[in-house]
Amino acid sequence: RKEVEQDPGPFNVPEGATVAFNCTYSNSASQSFFWYRQDCRKEPKLLMSVYSSGNEDGRFTAQLNRASQYISLLIRDSKLSDSATYLCVVGEGGKLIFGQGTTLQVKP
Amino acid sequence: GAVVSQHPSRVICKSGTSVKIECRSLDFQATTMFWYRQFPKKSLMLMATSNEGSKATYEQGVEKDKFLINHASLTLSTLTVTSAHPEDSSFYICSALAGGSGYEQFFGPGTRLTVL
């Protein structure tokens, strides 16, 4: 079983749509949680950290459920520029464990 | 945010040669740097953790004699792929941990290695 699992997609949505990504992690002792964004052939960039209380940054909302070991990312009012791969990332003992990523393609 | 550079950004080499990749933190000191590799449509896989002034810690399955890591200063870590073979072709990305940033790692732009 992979340590961090994501549906690879791709998710093809029209502009303006709301899209949700999910992720599960296997290690209950994981300490920190993030969503990163990676554009094709580029390095990953931190999108947002994820907390149990949930957090929102503009059109992006992230949630963490420690009991279910489940992380989510919601994108509202999708833009063409949101097209990318979204990586679910878990921090353990100073290291980052990456999921495979979910590819989002926003169409005009 | 903190800036990390990598050099070269792309390299094509013949099988059997060695390739050195540099990772630099440009505006901060990084006692810890990480090296990852990423195959197409796959996740980033941590190869090793590089600590300034000490030996790198390699992840299970990563050959330390093949992937030599040197972290000689607080702003520079190097990864040398020795006797590269086509199966070593991949996207190599480094990251640096900025002091006081908790778990946030700042990533370099990556190096695309193609071994012919």
Side-chain angles (χ1 to χ4, degrees), chain B residues 63-103:
Chain B
E63 298 175 59
K64 62 180 181 180
D65 295 329
K66 179 163 184 66
F67 298 99
L68 301 178
I69 292 172
N70 186 307
H71 193 156
S73 78
L74 287 171
T75 59
L76 173 64
S77 175
T78 61
L79 168 69
T80 301
V81 183
T82 62
S83 187
H85 288 94
E87 59 265 29
D88 297 323
S89 299
S90 186
F91 191 44
Y92 291 86
I93 308 176
C94 73
S95 70
L97 199 60
S101 68
Y103 279 107

Side-chain angles (χ1 to χ4, degrees), chain A residues 34-87:
Chain A
F34 311 92
W35 284 100
Y36 277 74
R37 170 191 169 131
Q38 186 174 26
D39 291 288
C40 188
R41 296 177 173 266
K42 301 285 188 182
E43 77 276 21
K45 294 185 188 289
L46 180 64
L47 182 63
M48 57 199 307
S49 300
V50 190
Y51 307 108
S52 298
S53 55
N55 51 307
E56 186 174 312
D57 182 2
R59 297 181 293 108
F60 299 83
T61 301
Q63 291 276 357
L64 166 66
N65 184 320
R66 281 190 179 267
S68 303
Q69 295 178 206
Y70 173 94
I71 307 164
S72 66
L73 176 68
L74 183 76
I75 304 175
R76 291 181 298 278
D77 188 23
S78 300
K79 310 290 185 191
L80 295 176
S81 57
D82 293 334
S83 298
T85 297
Y86 291 83
L87 306 171

